[in-house]
Amino acid sequence: MAKICVITKKGSIVGGGYSNRTRATQFNPTGKKRKYLNIQKKNVFIPELNKSIKVEASVQGFRTMKKRGVYATLLKAGVIKAN
């Protein structure tokens, strides 16, 4: 299963490289490392539908849900369908 947020549609990134001190002295790569999102699984209650669903999203996605509303955010993301 891909580690992608269902709300923000973001995935992992590859980070790492050279420090400036390493560039100045000798060739010694610090190495690349894949950095993953903080994916959480939570049961979210939707008052408009009067039911709860299990959502797997990043913490940033849950903050978006808190700001914009659960129903509107999940509807826009395509997780749930309109009545």
Side-chain angles (χ1 to χ4, degrees):
M1 185 173 81
K3 294 184 179 183
I4 297 174
C5 177
V6 294
I7 297 168
T8 60
K9 307 291 190 239
K10 291 184 179 180
S12 62
I13 61 168
V14 176
Y18 300 97
S19 67
N20 285 336
R21 187 71 256 157
T22 302
R23 283 184 197 274
T25 55
Q26 61 196 15
F27 177 74
N28 184 13
T30 57
K32 292 183 179 178
K33 184 177 179 184
R34 184 160 294 277
K35 297 180 180 181
Y36 294 99
L37 294 176
N38 189 3
I39 300 284
Q40 305 287 320
K41 294 178 186 175
K42 288 190 179 183
N43 281 328
V44 178
F45 181 72
I46 305 169
E48 290 83 356
L49 302 176
N50 199 22
K51 68 176 188 177
S52 62
I53 63 168
K54 201 175 281 188
V55 178
E56 190 171 327
S58 64
V59 172
Q60 189 67 43
F62 284 118
R63 291 181 69 194
T64 303
M65 275 199 304
K66 187 175 180 181
K67 180 179 179 180
R68 297 184 182 161
V70 177
Y71 183 72
T73 306
L74 293 177
L75 192 65
K76 186 176 178 182
V79 178
I80 57 175
K81 295 183 181 177
N83 292 346

